[in-house]
Amino acid sequence: MVDTVIENLFAALDNGVVLTGEALTGRYSHIWKTSSQLEAKAVLLPKSTEDLSTICRICYEHNQPIVLHGGLTGLVGGTESQITDIVISLQRLNQIEEVDTLCRTMTVQAGCILESIHQIAAAHDLFFPLNFGAKGSAQIGGCIATNAGGLRVKRFGMTRNLILGLEVVLANGKIINSLKKIIKNNAGYNLNQLFIGSEGTLGIITRATLKLEEKLVNRTSVFVGLSHFEDAIRLLRFCDLKFSGLLSAYEILWANTFEVLASKYKPLFGDKHRFYVLLEVLDNHSQLFKDLVFQVFEEALEKNMIQDAVFAHDAEDHALFWSIREDVEVLNAKAKFQQHFDVSVPINQMASYVEKVTFELAKVKAIEHVFCFGHLADGNLHFVVGKNTAETPLISMVNEIIYTPLKSIGGSISAEHGIGLEKKEWLSLCRSEEEMEVMLNIKNALDPKHLLNTGKIFD
Ligand SMILES: Cc1cc2nc3c(=O)[nH]c(=O)nc-3n(C[C@H](O)[C@H](O)[C@H](O)COP(=O)(O)OP(=O)(O)OC[C@H]3O[C@@H](n4cnc5c(N)ncnc54)[C@H](O)[C@@H]3O)c2cc1C
């Protein structure tokens, strides 16, 4: 049967932009599902903002739903599609357009991989702080669409703090260009911020101007063993006090999580501990400062805040420490099926929340492991729940155990990954009816036919 949208797209775009039929073989919806064939009637590979505008205009005229693909590392089903959808991949929009060393900005296309942005910034003696385990695959457009967080939020903020300008294509094909290099712009509503974190439901991000920092040459990473969760909070305050703003990462791992993550490397600690903190200080000071860091941990040891501390002495140690924290796929491998969570919890409620949740999960027979870790300084916890079945009632039960307590303690069902498909039925736990109504009004104003990432965040 002839599909008019596809016909129109073929007619309007260059060869190779529209892929259908056999050309979709080997395409998938997530980097962890490479053996499951993508469901879509076509995959589009635009080469420019203008291509995207044409695509959106044609899809809008034909009420054609669109699913957006960035680096496919998202963890809430945001890139899942159906056979009736058209998938647009941003992979070809991958040019770094400009590095402005005076304004300290970089203007990039949405399909640029985060790690290549790090490398280009470093080549100009500059630094882009956004950093997390999937940096080798995640695209900057995907990071912006999800307002990604990661390892250095403590000091530099989430993606929304790192973006100065955006170019966005709306559902009807209109292009909004606000690629400015200025930090302050109070001229009316901040539209850029509206698109950041909107998970591709309000517009398609095509280009961005990123805010860069001066390169930080000294990196101190310390792995610490502790016996009480409260000590991790004390140590956080102590480090903030001593390092006056230079602490850039502060990660916590529960003992069973650390043991699995560290199992393939040589042992770091002589003894076992109940909690582990991995922290990072970035600075441009002299050796004197490095000595101060040592002294701080000696003092923490004397004050019984910590049980042990191991320092990274060279690049190899740094790589080892951060591989332990970032290579979380090892946790996935421990069970046949998993559920992933990224919740926000006020820091003073964290220990009791985790205790309660793990106690409840331990009662469920089909659950084999519960791994907990997270960005402690941001109040952000991750759980990987390993199970021996993927049955729907079990998925709902695990969701309920993890999400329900968040309402009364003022937490959030998503600290960083977003809502996508997987969390939408729980959205009302952390958003009021009034907030959801305003969100829906915004969606209706920008995408009145609900064509962009249909069914994500809202039904
Ligand atoms: C090992 C691992 C570790 C991770 N660690 C973290 C972490 O610490 N912090 C964190 O925040 N996340 C983390 N994530 C989740 C994920 O990497 C982030 O959400 C990332 O920002 C997604 O980028 P992506 O390019 O892969 O986007 P995708 O997965 O391709 O897409 C994510 C969402 O954005 C939409 N989208 C993609 N590109 C665009 C665009 N150009 N315009 C509009 N919408 C678009 C998609 O439709 C989808 O809804 C991790 C993931 C993995 C696998």
Side-chain angles (χ1 to χ4, degrees), residues 29-32 67-79 90 110-111 131-135 137-151 158 198-201 203-206 325-326 328-329 342 375 380 382 416-417 420 453 456:
S29 64
H30 195 275
I31 55 160
W32 288 344
V67 174
L68 301 167
H69 277 193
L72 304 178
T73 67
L75 294 171
V76 290
T79 48
L90 279 291
N131 190 19
F132 52 90
K135 58 182 169 289
S137 303
Q139 297 177 0
I140 191 66
C143 298
I144 297 169
T146 55
N147 184 29
L151 303 164
M158 295 183 75
S198 67
E199 301 180 46
T201 61
I204 307 175
I205 293 147
T206 45
R325 166 59 187 86
E326 291 179 84
V328 293
E329 274 186 76
D342 83 302
H375 315 294
N380 176 185
H382 295 300
E416 7 182 71
H417 299 159
N453 276 355
K456 315 286 162 50

